[in-house]
Amino acid sequence: MITVCDVGPRDGLQNEPDVLPAETRAELITRLAAAGVPRVEAVSFVRDDRVPQMAQAERVAELVAESHKVSGTELSGLVLNERGWERFRTTALARVNVTVAATDAFSERNAGMPRDEALRQTTAVLRAAAGTPSTATISVAFGDPFDGAVDEGSVIEIAGRLAEAGAGEIVLADTIGVATPRAVRRVTGRVAALGRAGGHFHNTRNTGYANALASLEAGATVLDASVGGLGGCPFAPRATGNIATEDLVYLLEGEGVETGIDLDALVDTSLWIAGVLGRDLPGQLARAGIPARR
Amino acid sequence: MITVCDVGPRDGLQNEPDVLPAETRAELITRLAAAGVPRVEAVSFVRDDRVPQMAQAERVAELVAESHKVSGTELSGLVLNERGWERFRTTALARVNVTVAATDAFSERNAGMPRDEALRQTTAVLRAAAGTPSTATISVAFGDPFDGAVDEGSVIEIAGRLAEAGAGEIVLADTIGVATPRAVRRVTGRVAALGRAGGHFHNTRNTGYANALASLEAGATVLDASVGGLGGCPFAPRATGNIATEDLVYLLEGEGVETGIDLDALVDTSLWIAGVLGRDLPGQLARAGIPARR
């Protein structure tokens, strides 16, 4: 059994050009929950004017509170700083996500501060959130668009600091889609030795699904993916989307790994959100179809 | 060391809507050879009126004879029957490929005869070709669009008959892109026990690269792929292309597996053939770029 976390409503939609209303985002979350997805990253607590795709996080959380209770799906929210944590606390979301980049260059570009300062703020949130289930994601853990290779020792050190601050699990994110399975297996194994580990893969260079499998083999207990591969536009010259949840589940079923997800309902959800956005998504199972007999 | 066989000029172009002249097909083969691809499936000996994409096989073979000698790349040709074998013999191609479907339904649809009759003709070609390096591919080895699941015992039995008839290696093809790694590992392991085994994967449901890795882990010594993922159109509703050679090589390099291929030159070739066809190909590395430092 593996916990698949659908990050489509957050990481996916945040990287789509379209801005969907809170009601549509809530419907996506409700549909994912109805398909039995064990965890859904629902919202991000950021400034509405900075990331319009993620506006009205509290409203989305309120709209989905009921679906969460009914299905037992764990809903999470991304928190970037103490202000975000104060907003998170007013909602019924069950799990808090925090994130820190593995390199200075990416941290400066993405969070506007050096990595160590970002790590200080992240661990402060984790300490404030003690008692709430938490996930800490290390972004660009396998490669960085500015610096290239990432020092593995630094990643392990950051993971240690996050675990020490109370992170319930540590997810290694291949944010720019450069990782290959051997590195994933090695680093994930080292992080799994510290506590619960997970993987977050983008399929930018077609290695995402093989990486997810390698992560699982190395002891990961949670894998991120986004329904339809939301967040990566097939018509963009440099599509950088998450692996698609339904394609991942198809792969995992073939491996005999249980997910608790109803694959037909998940494919229907993928086709539904593709219809909302008015275009094909990068996920391939929804287009090719679930084979008749497996 | 693994033998990567680029099937783009044959399996790839045969499934493209455009018909390229013999000179352009020869240039593609020459460029692949110059990039160090150890084996290229160059042509198919079929009736020109039936498959216009593959017309003038002898002309293509003649045009590339020189590039083959210079680079040491092994060039192969697909032969479907004894007439094809007679044509193959007039060329300087080094390796003969034959193929047989794992199921009656697919064999009837694709070869116009039951599987056992197709197997009889295929083994006859292998016997006639004794002394010439040969590859026998079992298509729909992991699933069939008409019958669904494929009996594993039948696949192993066919592999045994092909080996007995002198096939130098047996390639298991996931023609419709339904396989998952566990099944690939299991069947490939059984075929590898009979002799040299290989894998041919389509990325129709995003499992192709993980399957290639599983095939390698189970003992495969040859992997098919097509430059750019030729043969699968990203804008078609049901893209069924081969895995892209450059994306496979990127994955293999990350695993520490040597291919002898110059990845930069291969990416250039992918971009070149995309330009010839006037559209993006499904392979992702050429669009996303080779990361600066690995």
Side-chain angles (χ1 to χ4, degrees):
Chain A
M1 188 78 177
I2 180 103
T3 299
V4 171
C5 174
D6 197 300
V7 300
R10 205 287 300 169
D11 194 25
L13 290 182
Q14 181 168 334
N15 290 295
E16 287 287 326
D18 294 313
V19 176
L20 302 184
E23 288 69 20
T24 310
R25 286 154 57 202
E27 184 171 352
L28 174 59
I29 296 161
T30 305
R31 284 176 184 254
L32 291 169
V37 178
R39 191 190 293 175
V40 177
E41 192 182 45
V43 295
S44 175
F45 295 95
V46 286
R47 278 176 50 180
D48 291 9
D49 57 335
R50 289 266 180 84
V51 189
Q53 288 94 333
M54 291 292 106
Q56 294 188 279
E58 288 83 350
R59 173 79 183 130
V60 173
E62 195 186 311
L63 287 166
V64 297
E66 204 52 46
S67 72
H68 157 229
K69 277 182 203 146
V70 172
S71 69
T73 295
E74 184 182 48
L75 301 180
S76 70
L78 179 66
V79 158
L80 299 176
N81 48 38
E82 295 186 50
R83 169 76 191 111
W85 167 243
E86 292 306 322
R87 292 178 62 191
F88 176 98
R89 292 177 67 183
T90 69
T91 70
L93 297 174
R95 175 175 290 267
V96 60
N97 291 354
V98 297
T99 182
V100 65
T103 67
D104 269 325
F106 197 82
S107 185
E108 288 282 7
R109 186 81 150 236
N110 210 48
M113 62 188 90
R115 188 197 69 189
D116 287 346
E117 174 55 19
L119 184 57
R120 199 197 58 74
Q121 293 194 16
T122 299
T123 51
V125 171
L126 283 171
R127 291 203 174 85
T132 301
S134 61
T135 301
T137 298
I138 303 177
S139 60
V140 294
F142 301 99
D144 166 303
F146 313 109
D147 284 351
V150 166
D151 177 54
E152 190 176 317
S154 301
V155 173
I156 303 303
E157 195 194 319
I158 294 168
R161 296 273 298 277
L162 293 166
E164 203 179 274
E169 64 193 13
I170 309 223
V171 173
L172 298 168
D174 181 24
T175 313
I176 58 167
V178 293
T180 45
R182 188 167 64 163
V184 169
R185 218 174 274 119
R186 193 177 58 231
V187 187
T188 304
R190 292 183 70 181
V191 171
L194 301 173
R196 285 174 62 96
H200 174 111
F201 300 103
H202 286 214
N203 200 37
T204 315
R205 287 168 182 82
N206 261 327
T207 60
Y209 298 90
N211 287 338
L213 202 54
S215 176
L216 185 68
E217 286 165 358
T221 55
V222 58
L223 288 174
D224 286 355
S226 77
V227 61
L230 269 180
C233 173
F235 305 113
R238 288 162 186 256
T240 55
N242 295 280
I243 55 173
T245 313
E246 62 271 27
D247 294 20
L248 175 65
V249 171
Y250 177 76
L251 180 75
L252 292 174
E253 282 190 0
E255 296 302 288
V257 176
E258 285 189 37
T259 63
I261 295 172
D262 175 342
L263 189 53
D264 289 284
L266 186 59
V267 164
D268 287 347
T269 303
S270 177
L271 293 169
W272 171 79
I273 190 68
V276 168
L277 295 169
R279 62 176 178 80
D280 279 346
L281 295 177
Q284 301 206 93
L285 185 69
R287 277 178 287 165
I290 302 172
R293 288 164 51 209
R294 303 284 301 281
Chain B
M1 189 77 176
I2 179 105
T3 299
V4 171
C5 173
D6 197 300
V7 300
R10 206 287 299 170
D11 194 24
L13 290 183
Q14 181 168 335
N15 290 294
E16 288 286 327
D18 295 313
V19 175
L20 302 184
E23 288 69 19
T24 310
R25 287 154 56 201
E27 184 171 352
L28 174 60
I29 296 162
T30 305
R31 284 176 183 253
L32 291 169
V37 178
R39 191 192 292 175
V40 177
E41 191 181 47
V43 295
S44 176
F45 294 95
V46 287
R47 276 176 51 180
D48 292 7
D49 57 335
R50 287 267 180 84
V51 188
Q53 288 94 332
M54 290 293 106
Q56 293 188 281
E58 287 85 350
R59 174 79 183 130
V60 173
E62 195 185 311
L63 287 167
V64 297
E66 204 52 47
S67 71
H68 156 231
K69 276 183 203 147
V70 173
S71 70
T73 295
E74 185 182 49
L75 301 180
S76 69
L78 180 66
V79 158
L80 300 177
N81 48 39
E82 295 186 53
R83 170 77 192 110
W85 167 243
E86 293 305 322
R87 291 178 63 192
F88 176 98
R89 293 177 66 183
T90 68
T91 70
L93 296 173
R95 174 175 290 268
V96 60
N97 290 355
V98 297
T99 183
V100 65
T103 68
D104 269 326
F106 197 83
S107 186
E108 288 282 7
R109 187 83 149 236
N110 209 47
M113 62 187 88
R115 188 197 69 189
D116 287 346
E117 173 56 19
L119 184 57
R120 199 196 59 72
Q121 293 194 17
T122 300
T123 51
V125 170
L126 283 171
R127 290 203 174 86
T132 301
S134 63
T135 301
T137 298
I138 303 178
S139 59
V140 293
F142 300 99
D144 166 302
F146 313 110
D147 283 350
V150 166
D151 177 54
E152 189 176 316
S154 301
V155 174
I156 303 303
E157 195 193 319
I158 295 167
R161 296 273 297 278
L162 293 166
E164 203 179 275
E169 64 193 13
I170 310 228
V171 172
L172 298 167
D174 182 25
T175 313
I176 59 167
V178 293
T180 45
R182 188 167 63 163
V184 170
R185 218 174 274 119
R186 194 178 56 232
V187 186
T188 305
R190 292 182 70 180
V191 171
L194 301 172
R196 285 174 63 97
H200 174 111
F201 300 104
H202 286 215
N203 199 36
T204 316
R205 288 167 182 83
N206 261 328
T207 61
Y209 298 89
N211 287 338
L213 202 54
S215 176
L216 185 67
E217 287 165 358
T221 55
V222 58
L223 288 173
D224 285 356
S226 77
V227 62
L230 269 180
C233 173
F235 305 113
R238 288 161 187 257
T240 54
N242 296 279
I243 56 173
T245 314
E246 62 273 27
D247 294 19
L248 175 66
V249 171
Y250 177 76
L251 179 75
L252 293 174
E253 283 191 359
E255 296 302 287
V257 176
E258 286 189 38
T259 63
I261 295 172
D262 175 341
L263 189 52
D264 289 283
L266 185 59
V267 164
D268 287 347
T269 303
S270 177
L271 293 169
W272 171 79
I273 189 69
V276 167
L277 295 169
R279 63 175 177 81
D280 279 346
L281 295 177
Q284 301 206 93
L285 184 69
R287 276 178 287 164
I290 303 172
R293 289 163 50 209
R294 303 283 301 280

